[in-house]
Amino acid sequence: EVEVLDPETDKPLSGFGRDDCNDLDRDGVRVRVHWGERSLADVAADRFRLRIWIAGAARLFALGFEART
């Protein structure tokens, strides 16, 4: 799972916590992360941090962002 954090407090932004994140339980190159119907494009903050939770034998090889069209 992924959380979007306030950079000053390191607390999750409302609606962007670990429990709000979609399940990331599959392998893939382009696995989209969202929080319910929300995406990073819906974050109102100018600055934020991401906290990525990885369990078991999972590995993160890359992280990318795409502009919404």
PDB file of all heavy atoms in Angstrom, residues 1-6 11-22 33-44 50:
ATOM      1  N   GLU A   1       0.825  -1.185   0.000  1.00  0.00           N
ATOM      2  CA  GLU A   1       0.000   0.000   0.000  1.00  0.00           C
ATOM      3  C   GLU A   1       0.868   1.247   0.000  1.00  0.00           C
ATOM      4  O   GLU A   1       2.045   1.181   0.294  1.00  0.00           O
ATOM      5  CB  GLU A   1      -0.917   0.034   1.236  1.00  0.00           C
ATOM      6  CG  GLU A   1      -1.982  -1.037   1.250  1.00  0.00           C
ATOM      7  CD  GLU A   1      -1.593  -2.237   2.114  1.00  0.00           C
ATOM      8  OE1 GLU A   1      -0.506  -2.223   2.709  1.00  0.00           O
ATOM      9  OE2 GLU A   1      -2.367  -3.182   2.161  1.00  0.00           O
ATOM     10  N   VAL A   2       0.248   2.376  -0.330  1.00  0.00           N
ATOM     11  CA  VAL A   2       0.948   3.652  -0.396  1.00  0.00           C
ATOM     12  C   VAL A   2       0.134   4.687   0.369  1.00  0.00           C
ATOM     13  O   VAL A   2      -1.085   4.730   0.245  1.00  0.00           O
ATOM     14  CB  VAL A   2       1.133   4.121  -1.854  1.00  0.00           C
ATOM     15  CG1 VAL A   2       1.868   5.451  -1.905  1.00  0.00           C
ATOM     16  CG2 VAL A   2       1.864   3.070  -2.676  1.00  0.00           C
ATOM     17  N   GLU A   3       0.824   5.503   1.155  1.00  0.00           N
ATOM     18  CA  GLU A   3       0.185   6.620   1.851  1.00  0.00           C
ATOM     19  C   GLU A   3       0.749   7.926   1.299  1.00  0.00           C
ATOM     20  O   GLU A   3       1.931   7.994   0.953  1.00  0.00           O
ATOM     21  CB  GLU A   3       0.497   6.585   3.352  1.00  0.00           C
ATOM     22  CG  GLU A   3      -0.134   5.461   4.097  1.00  0.00           C
ATOM     23  CD  GLU A   3       0.223   5.500   5.566  1.00  0.00           C
ATOM     24  OE1 GLU A   3       1.414   5.603   5.903  1.00  0.00           O
ATOM     25  OE2 GLU A   3      -0.708   5.410   6.381  1.00  0.00           O
ATOM     26  N   VAL A   4      -0.079   8.942   1.229  1.00  0.00           N
ATOM     27  CA  VAL A   4       0.366  10.291   0.883  1.00  0.00           C
ATOM     28  C   VAL A   4       0.421  11.064   2.192  1.00  0.00           C
ATOM     29  O   VAL A   4      -0.581  11.163   2.907  1.00  0.00           O
ATOM     30  CB  VAL A   4      -0.599  10.977  -0.113  1.00  0.00           C
ATOM     31  CG1 VAL A   4      -0.073  12.350  -0.485  1.00  0.00           C
ATOM     32  CG2 VAL A   4      -0.785  10.119  -1.359  1.00  0.00           C
ATOM     33  N   LEU A   5       1.603  11.583   2.522  1.00  0.00           N
ATOM     34  CA  LEU A   5       1.834  12.198   3.823  1.00  0.00           C
ATOM     35  C   LEU A   5       2.016  13.707   3.743  1.00  0.00           C
ATOM     36  O   LEU A   5       2.564  14.227   2.764  1.00  0.00           O
ATOM     37  CB  LEU A   5       3.100  11.609   4.454  1.00  0.00           C
ATOM     38  CG  LEU A   5       3.185  10.094   4.565  1.00  0.00           C
ATOM     39  CD1 LEU A   5       4.557   9.698   5.098  1.00  0.00           C
ATOM     40  CD2 LEU A   5       2.078   9.548   5.429  1.00  0.00           C
ATOM     41  N   ASP A   6       1.605  14.371   4.794  1.00  0.00           N
ATOM     42  CA  ASP A   6       1.923  15.779   4.991  1.00  0.00           C
ATOM     43  C   ASP A   6       3.432  15.852   5.252  1.00  0.00           C
ATOM     44  O   ASP A   6       3.940  15.144   6.123  1.00  0.00           O
ATOM     45  CB  ASP A   6       1.146  16.316   6.192  1.00  0.00           C
ATOM     46  CG  ASP A   6       1.438  17.763   6.477  1.00  0.00           C
ATOM     47  OD1 ASP A   6       2.612  18.095   6.749  1.00  0.00           O
ATOM     48  OD2 ASP A   6       0.492  18.563   6.458  1.00  0.00           O
ATOM     49  N   LYS A  11       2.068  12.616   8.699  1.00  0.00           N
ATOM     50  CA  LYS A  11       0.780  11.947   8.897  1.00  0.00           C
ATOM     51  C   LYS A  11       0.050  11.888   7.558  1.00  0.00           C
ATOM     52  O   LYS A  11       0.155  12.807   6.749  1.00  0.00           O
ATOM     53  CB  LYS A  11      -0.055  12.692   9.934  1.00  0.00           C
ATOM     54  CG  LYS A  11       0.569  12.622  11.299  1.00  0.00           C
ATOM     55  CD  LYS A  11      -0.325  13.178  12.357  1.00  0.00           C
ATOM     56  CE  LYS A  11       0.417  13.036  13.683  1.00  0.00           C
ATOM     57  NZ  LYS A  11      -0.396  13.277  14.817  1.00  0.00           N
ATOM     58  N   PRO A  12      -0.720  10.815   7.331  1.00  0.00           N
ATOM     59  CA  PRO A  12      -1.433  10.692   6.055  1.00  0.00           C
ATOM     60  C   PRO A  12      -2.442  11.820   5.844  1.00  0.00           C
ATOM     61  O   PRO A  12      -3.118  12.247   6.789  1.00  0.00           O
ATOM     62  CB  PRO A  12      -2.168   9.358   6.178  1.00  0.00           C
ATOM     63  CG  PRO A  12      -1.447   8.608   7.239  1.00  0.00           C
ATOM     64  CD  PRO A  12      -0.911   9.646   8.181  1.00  0.00           C
ATOM     65  N   LEU A  13      -2.519  12.294   4.607  1.00  0.00           N
ATOM     66  CA  LEU A  13      -3.552  13.254   4.251  1.00  0.00           C
ATOM     67  C   LEU A  13      -4.898  12.541   4.271  1.00  0.00           C
ATOM     68  O   LEU A  13      -4.984  11.344   3.965  1.00  0.00           O
ATOM     69  CB  LEU A  13      -3.285  13.836   2.858  1.00  0.00           C
ATOM     70  CG  LEU A  13      -1.969  14.594   2.675  1.00  0.00           C
ATOM     71  CD1 LEU A  13      -1.829  15.043   1.228  1.00  0.00           C
ATOM     72  CD2 LEU A  13      -1.879  15.780   3.610  1.00  0.00           C
ATOM     73  N   SER A  14      -5.937  13.262   4.616  1.00  0.00           N
ATOM     74  CA  SER A  14      -7.274  12.687   4.709  1.00  0.00           C
ATOM     75  C   SER A  14      -7.675  12.027   3.389  1.00  0.00           C
ATOM     76  O   SER A  14      -7.595  12.647   2.325  1.00  0.00           O
ATOM     77  CB  SER A  14      -8.277  13.784   5.080  1.00  0.00           C
ATOM     78  OG  SER A  14      -9.573  13.246   5.164  1.00  0.00           O
ATOM     79  N   GLY A  15      -8.067  10.765   3.462  1.00  0.00           N
ATOM     80  CA  GLY A  15      -8.490  10.026   2.276  1.00  0.00           C
ATOM     81  C   GLY A  15      -7.355   9.380   1.513  1.00  0.00           C
ATOM     82  O   GLY A  15      -7.576   8.692   0.526  1.00  0.00           O
ATOM     83  N   PHE A  16      -6.102   9.592   1.955  1.00  0.00           N
ATOM     84  CA  PHE A  16      -4.940   9.045   1.260  1.00  0.00           C
ATOM     85  C   PHE A  16      -4.070   8.188   2.181  1.00  0.00           C
ATOM     86  O   PHE A  16      -2.861   8.116   2.025  1.00  0.00           O
ATOM     87  CB  PHE A  16      -4.100  10.182   0.661  1.00  0.00           C
ATOM     88  CG  PHE A  16      -4.778  10.875  -0.483  1.00  0.00           C
ATOM     89  CD1 PHE A  16      -5.556  12.003  -0.264  1.00  0.00           C
ATOM     90  CD2 PHE A  16      -4.660  10.398  -1.771  1.00  0.00           C
ATOM     91  CE1 PHE A  16      -6.185  12.643  -1.307  1.00  0.00           C
ATOM     92  CE2 PHE A  16      -5.283  11.030  -2.822  1.00  0.00           C
ATOM     93  CZ  PHE A  16      -6.061  12.153  -2.597  1.00  0.00           C
ATOM     94  N   GLY A  17      -4.710   7.540   3.137  1.00  0.00           N
ATOM     95  CA  GLY A  17      -3.990   6.680   4.068  1.00  0.00           C
ATOM     96  C   GLY A  17      -3.816   5.277   3.535  1.00  0.00           C
ATOM     97  O   GLY A  17      -4.325   4.908   2.472  1.00  0.00           O
ATOM     98  N   ARG A  18      -3.106   4.475   4.298  1.00  0.00           N
ATOM     99  CA  ARG A  18      -2.843   3.082   3.925  1.00  0.00           C
ATOM    100  C   ARG A  18      -4.129   2.295   3.728  1.00  0.00           C
ATOM    101  O   ARG A  18      -4.254   1.511   2.786  1.00  0.00           O
ATOM    102  CB  ARG A  18      -1.987   2.453   5.017  1.00  0.00           C
ATOM    103  CG  ARG A  18      -1.565   1.050   4.739  1.00  0.00           C
ATOM    104  CD  ARG A  18      -0.692   0.532   5.854  1.00  0.00           C
ATOM    105  NE  ARG A  18      -0.193  -0.801   5.533  1.00  0.00           N
ATOM    106  CZ  ARG A  18       0.556  -1.507   6.339  1.00  0.00           C
ATOM    107  NH1 ARG A  18       0.896  -1.027   7.515  1.00  0.00           N
ATOM    108  NH2 ARG A  18       0.962  -2.706   5.982  1.00  0.00           N
ATOM    109  N   ASP A  19      -5.097   2.494   4.604  1.00  0.00           N
ATOM    110  CA  ASP A  19      -6.369   1.762   4.507  1.00  0.00           C
ATOM    111  C   ASP A  19      -7.219   2.209   3.325  1.00  0.00           C
ATOM    112  O   ASP A  19      -8.104   1.475   2.884  1.00  0.00           O
ATOM    113  CB  ASP A  19      -7.172   1.913   5.795  1.00  0.00           C
ATOM    114  CG  ASP A  19      -6.512   1.218   6.970  1.00  0.00           C
ATOM    115  OD1 ASP A  19      -5.733   0.265   6.730  1.00  0.00           O
ATOM    116  OD2 ASP A  19      -6.762   1.619   8.115  1.00  0.00           O
ATOM    117  N   ASP A  20      -6.958   3.405   2.802  1.00  0.00           N
ATOM    118  CA  ASP A  20      -7.719   3.929   1.658  1.00  0.00           C
ATOM    119  C   ASP A  20      -7.162   3.440   0.323  1.00  0.00           C
ATOM    120  O   ASP A  20      -7.827   3.515  -0.703  1.00  0.00           O
ATOM    121  CB  ASP A  20      -7.702   5.466   1.665  1.00  0.00           C
ATOM    122  CG  ASP A  20      -8.245   6.050   2.948  1.00  0.00           C
ATOM    123  OD1 ASP A  20      -9.370   5.674   3.324  1.00  0.00           O
ATOM    124  OD2 ASP A  20      -7.550   6.866   3.579  1.00  0.00           O
ATOM    125  N   CYS A  21      -5.923   2.963   0.333  1.00  0.00           N
ATOM    126  CA  CYS A  21      -5.222   2.590  -0.895  1.00  0.00           C
ATOM    127  C   CYS A  21      -5.770   1.284  -1.473  1.00  0.00           C
ATOM    128  O   CYS A  21      -6.135   0.369  -0.735  1.00  0.00           O
ATOM    129  CB  CYS A  21      -3.731   2.435  -0.579  1.00  0.00           C
ATOM    130  SG  CYS A  21      -2.701   2.104  -2.009  1.00  0.00           S
ATOM    131  N   ASN A  22      -5.802   1.218  -2.816  1.00  0.00           N
ATOM    132  CA  ASN A  22      -6.200  -0.027  -3.466  1.00  0.00           C
ATOM    133  C   ASN A  22      -5.187  -1.119  -3.150  1.00  0.00           C
ATOM    134  O   ASN A  22      -4.038  -0.839  -2.820  1.00  0.00           O
ATOM    135  CB  ASN A  22      -6.328   0.163  -4.983  1.00  0.00           C
ATOM    136  CG  ASN A  22      -5.014   0.536  -5.660  1.00  0.00           C
ATOM    137  OD1 ASN A  22      -4.392   1.541  -5.317  1.00  0.00           O
ATOM    138  ND2 ASN A  22      -4.592  -0.250  -6.626  1.00  0.00           N
ATOM    139  N   VAL A  33      -1.809   3.147  -8.694  1.00  0.00           N
ATOM    140  CA  VAL A  33      -2.166   3.304  -7.290  1.00  0.00           C
ATOM    141  C   VAL A  33      -3.281   4.333  -7.199  1.00  0.00           C
ATOM    142  O   VAL A  33      -3.228   5.386  -7.837  1.00  0.00           O
ATOM    143  CB  VAL A  33      -0.950   3.780  -6.464  1.00  0.00           C
ATOM    144  CG1 VAL A  33      -1.336   4.000  -5.019  1.00  0.00           C
ATOM    145  CG2 VAL A  33       0.189   2.784  -6.580  1.00  0.00           C
ATOM    146  N   HIS A  34      -4.300   4.006  -6.436  1.00  0.00           N
ATOM    147  CA  HIS A  34      -5.367   4.980  -6.199  1.00  0.00           C
ATOM    148  C   HIS A  34      -5.947   4.731  -4.818  1.00  0.00           C
ATOM    149  O   HIS A  34      -5.705   3.700  -4.189  1.00  0.00           O
ATOM    150  CB  HIS A  34      -6.438   4.929  -7.290  1.00  0.00           C
ATOM    151  CG  HIS A  34      -7.024   3.570  -7.517  1.00  0.00           C
ATOM    152  ND1 HIS A  34      -8.089   3.090  -6.808  1.00  0.00           N
ATOM    153  CD2 HIS A  34      -6.663   2.588  -8.370  1.00  0.00           C
ATOM    154  CE1 HIS A  34      -8.373   1.870  -7.216  1.00  0.00           C
ATOM    155  NE2 HIS A  34      -7.519   1.530  -8.157  1.00  0.00           N
ATOM    156  N   TRP A  35      -6.662   5.696  -4.339  1.00  0.00           N
ATOM    157  CA  TRP A  35      -7.276   5.669  -3.014  1.00  0.00           C
ATOM    158  C   TRP A  35      -8.766   5.870  -3.227  1.00  0.00           C
ATOM    159  O   TRP A  35      -9.221   7.004  -3.390  1.00  0.00           O
ATOM    160  CB  TRP A  35      -6.697   6.782  -2.130  1.00  0.00           C
ATOM    161  CG  TRP A  35      -5.217   6.625  -1.930  1.00  0.00           C
ATOM    162  CD1 TRP A  35      -4.615   6.054  -0.853  1.00  0.00           C
ATOM    163  CD2 TRP A  35      -4.165   7.032  -2.803  1.00  0.00           C
ATOM    164  NE1 TRP A  35      -3.251   6.069  -1.006  1.00  0.00           N
ATOM    165  CE2 TRP A  35      -2.958   6.666  -2.207  1.00  0.00           C
ATOM    166  CE3 TRP A  35      -4.133   7.650  -4.057  1.00  0.00           C
ATOM    167  CZ2 TRP A  35      -1.717   6.911  -2.798  1.00  0.00           C
ATOM    168  CZ3 TRP A  35      -2.905   7.888  -4.650  1.00  0.00           C
ATOM    169  CH2 TRP A  35      -1.715   7.524  -4.006  1.00  0.00           C
ATOM    170  N   GLY A  36      -9.500   4.771  -3.293  1.00  0.00           N
ATOM    171  CA  GLY A  36     -10.911   4.856  -3.662  1.00  0.00           C
ATOM    172  C   GLY A  36     -11.009   5.374  -5.090  1.00  0.00           C
ATOM    173  O   GLY A  36     -10.424   4.810  -6.001  1.00  0.00           O
ATOM    174  N   GLU A  37     -11.707   6.476  -5.269  1.00  0.00           N
ATOM    175  CA  GLU A  37     -11.828   7.104  -6.590  1.00  0.00           C
ATOM    176  C   GLU A  37     -10.769   8.176  -6.811  1.00  0.00           C
ATOM    177  O   GLU A  37     -10.763   8.844  -7.832  1.00  0.00           O
ATOM    178  CB  GLU A  37     -13.222   7.717  -6.751  1.00  0.00           C
ATOM    179  CG  GLU A  37     -14.352   6.711  -6.695  1.00  0.00           C
ATOM    180  CD  GLU A  37     -14.311   5.733  -7.858  1.00  0.00           C
ATOM    181  OE1 GLU A  37     -14.010   6.158  -8.992  1.00  0.00           O
ATOM    182  OE2 GLU A  37     -14.547   4.532  -7.612  1.00  0.00           O
ATOM    183  N   ARG A  38      -9.863   8.342  -5.855  1.00  0.00           N
ATOM    184  CA  ARG A  38      -8.866   9.421  -5.910  1.00  0.00           C
ATOM    185  C   ARG A  38      -7.521   8.927  -6.436  1.00  0.00           C
ATOM    186  O   ARG A  38      -7.165   7.769  -6.269  1.00  0.00           O
ATOM    187  CB  ARG A  38      -8.650  10.006  -4.518  1.00  0.00           C
ATOM    188  CG  ARG A  38      -9.864  10.601  -3.908  1.00  0.00           C
ATOM    189  CD  ARG A  38      -9.545  11.061  -2.529  1.00  0.00           C
ATOM    190  NE  ARG A  38     -10.739  11.542  -1.844  1.00  0.00           N
ATOM    191  CZ  ARG A  38     -10.713  12.183  -0.710  1.00  0.00           C
ATOM    192  NH1 ARG A  38      -9.568  12.413  -0.103  1.00  0.00           N
ATOM    193  NH2 ARG A  38     -11.825  12.586  -0.154  1.00  0.00           N
ATOM    194  N   SER A  39      -6.768   9.874  -7.017  1.00  0.00           N
ATOM    195  CA  SER A  39      -5.397   9.605  -7.444  1.00  0.00           C
ATOM    196  C   SER A  39      -4.516  10.744  -6.945  1.00  0.00           C
ATOM    197  O   SER A  39      -5.003  11.695  -6.319  1.00  0.00           O
ATOM    198  CB  SER A  39      -5.324   9.510  -8.970  1.00  0.00           C
ATOM    199  OG  SER A  39      -5.513  10.781  -9.553  1.00  0.00           O
ATOM    200  N   LEU A  40      -3.229  10.678  -7.240  1.00  0.00           N
ATOM    201  CA  LEU A  40      -2.332  11.761  -6.821  1.00  0.00           C
ATOM    202  C   LEU A  40      -2.752  13.104  -7.405  1.00  0.00           C
ATOM    203  O   LEU A  40      -2.481  14.151  -6.822  1.00  0.00           O
ATOM    204  CB  LEU A  40      -0.886  11.458  -7.226  1.00  0.00           C
ATOM    205  CG  LEU A  40      -0.133  10.488  -6.349  1.00  0.00           C
ATOM    206  CD1 LEU A  40       1.274  10.270  -6.894  1.00  0.00           C
ATOM    207  CD2 LEU A  40      -0.065  10.973  -4.915  1.00  0.00           C
ATOM    208  N   ALA A  41      -3.412  13.096  -8.543  1.00  0.00           N
ATOM    209  CA  ALA A  41      -3.894  14.344  -9.145  1.00  0.00           C
ATOM    210  C   ALA A  41      -4.905  15.046  -8.245  1.00  0.00           C
ATOM    211  O   ALA A  41      -5.111  16.255  -8.367  1.00  0.00           O
ATOM    212  CB  ALA A  41      -4.514  14.068 -10.515  1.00  0.00           C
ATOM    213  N   ASP A  42      -5.516  14.317  -7.332  1.00  0.00           N
ATOM    214  CA  ASP A  42      -6.520  14.893  -6.432  1.00  0.00           C
ATOM    215  C   ASP A  42      -5.925  15.420  -5.123  1.00  0.00           C
ATOM    216  O   ASP A  42      -6.655  15.964  -4.302  1.00  0.00           O
ATOM    217  CB  ASP A  42      -7.583  13.836  -6.106  1.00  0.00           C
ATOM    218  CG  ASP A  42      -8.308  13.381  -7.350  1.00  0.00           C
ATOM    219  OD1 ASP A  42      -8.765  14.247  -8.108  1.00  0.00           O
ATOM    220  OD2 ASP A  42      -8.397  12.159  -7.567  1.00  0.00           O
ATOM    221  N   VAL A  43      -4.624  15.273  -4.933  1.00  0.00           N
ATOM    222  CA  VAL A  43      -3.979  15.791  -3.722  1.00  0.00           C
ATOM    223  C   VAL A  43      -3.923  17.315  -3.838  1.00  0.00           C
ATOM    224  O   VAL A  43      -3.407  17.850  -4.810  1.00  0.00           O
ATOM    225  CB  VAL A  43      -2.565  15.200  -3.544  1.00  0.00           C
ATOM    226  CG1 VAL A  43      -1.849  15.854  -2.377  1.00  0.00           C
ATOM    227  CG2 VAL A  43      -2.641  13.699  -3.365  1.00  0.00           C
ATOM    228  N   ALA A  44      -4.475  17.993  -2.831  1.00  0.00           N
ATOM    229  CA  ALA A  44      -4.554  19.458  -2.871  1.00  0.00           C
ATOM    230  C   ALA A  44      -3.256  20.127  -2.432  1.00  0.00           C
ATOM    231  O   ALA A  44      -3.043  21.306  -2.707  1.00  0.00           O
ATOM    232  CB  ALA A  44      -5.711  19.929  -1.989  1.00  0.00           C
ATOM    233  N   LEU A  50       5.518  10.321   0.067  1.00  0.00           N
ATOM    234  CA  LEU A  50       4.884   9.023  -0.091  1.00  0.00           C
ATOM    235  C   LEU A  50       5.536   8.032   0.859  1.00  0.00           C
ATOM    236  O   LEU A  50       6.759   8.023   1.017  1.00  0.00           O
ATOM    237  CB  LEU A  50       5.038   8.502  -1.522  1.00  0.00           C
ATOM    238  CG  LEU A  50       4.391   9.331  -2.623  1.00  0.00           C
ATOM    239  CD1 LEU A  50       4.726   8.719  -3.979  1.00  0.00           C
ATOM    240  CD2 LEU A  50       2.902   9.435  -2.430  1.00  0.00           C
TER     241      LEU A  50
END
